Amino acid sequence: MTTTDRTAPRTGLLTVDGAILHHEVRGEGPLLVMMPGGSADAGIYDAIAAAMTTMAEGLTPAWGEDRAAPEPAAVEAGAAAREPEPMAPEPERAIPEPEPTAPARPEGPQGVPPEVPPAQAEVFRRMHANLPVFLEHVLCSFSGYVPDLVALKTAAAPLVVGVGRDSRALLPAVAAEALARRVDARAAEFPGGHIGLTEAPRAFAARLRDVLLAP
């Protein structure tokens, strides 16, 4: 099988409770599942797919316009989703004031930055279309979820929490590192910021390979 064959996506539909999920599979060998968050879809992994499929088969689910059923899925997460342990407050941590930002740059149709190449512009268009579903059905339930710390701490598979090197002061990274401390997990730093896989895809893929292969 050639490299082109290994990295070409194989698409399919998976029926779950309340939804039909689009997914894309690349490569062969051990399965690596990459699930986009927020309003994103499988397209955000296109840039790192070729690098990752040299070591593992990759499965990237997606949802939203053209890629899933209109209603969000109800996913059973096993023991980690049952009887969550109340979380004690973390010690307060000072969050630096954000740096002054430059004026907003002009955007193309449906919020696509003008410098984005045509292939990625389609990804941005789908993400823009996903926003209503994300805001109505996902954001609040996701933000208010309380994980089962006991289940995470005693799980057979080791848990590694990833944070972006350039976004360590942002709330998602602060919460991720707090979770790692609570369950005695390792926090691994990745290149870029909150979406480093699109900002520095080659470096992100290399770092992900190192984390996955670490003893």
Side-chain angles (χ1 to χ4, degrees), residues 111-125:
V112 180
E115 69 273 16
V116 171
Q120 287 298 302
E122 173 60 18
V123 175
F124 273 81
R125 185 191 69 79

Side-chain angles (χ1 to χ4, degrees), residues 5-214:
D5 292 332
R6 286 201 305 270
T7 58
R10 308 185 299 279
T11 63
L13 297 175
L14 177 65
T15 301
V16 298
D17 185 13
I20 300 175
L21 302 179
H22 168 99
H23 63 270
E24 300 176 1
V25 182
R26 293 173 170 86
E28 56 189 356
L31 182 63
L32 170 65
V33 180
M34 296 184 289
M35 299 184 65
S39 61
D41 73 2
I44 64 170
Y45 294 109
D46 289 347
I48 68 170
M52 295 308 302
T53 51
T54 60
M55 65 166 288
E57 182 178 42
L59 171 65
T60 53
W63 62 277
E65 182 187 352
D66 299 332
R67 293 198 169 206
E71 293 299 323
V75 180
E76 173 58 46
R82 294 190 291 270
E83 299 180 359
E85 174 190 354
M87 297 180 69
E90 275 280 313
E92 290 189 4
R93 173 176 172 179
I95 306 296
E97 290 292 328
E99 295 290 333
T101 57
R105 59 188 175 186
E107 295 182 338
Q110 295 184 320
V112 180
E115 69 273 16
V116 171
Q120 287 298 302
E122 173 60 18
V123 175
F124 273 81
R125 185 191 69 79
R126 290 197 304 267
M127 291 171 60
H128 182 85
N130 289 342
L131 274 174
V133 176
F134 169 68
L135 294 174
E136 182 175 357
H137 297 285
V138 178
L139 179 60
C140 291
S141 59
F142 176 82
S143 301
Y145 175 73
V146 179
D148 186 336
L149 302 182
V150 174
L152 292 175
K153 193 170 184 177
T154 59
L159 174 65
V160 179
V161 179
V163 294
R165 181 181 58 223
D166 301 330
S167 59
R168 298 295 288 264
L170 299 183
L171 289 178
V174 172
E177 292 187 276
L179 175 65
R181 289 192 297 270
R182 295 293 188 86
V183 299
D184 298 328
R186 180 165 69 95
E189 188 176 81
F190 283 77
H194 185 55
I195 51 172
L197 74 161
T198 61
E199 298 166 345
R202 289 182 180 274
F204 190 99
R207 175 59 173 156
L208 180 56
R209 289 161 63 105
D210 290 343
V211 170
L212 292 173
L213 295 174

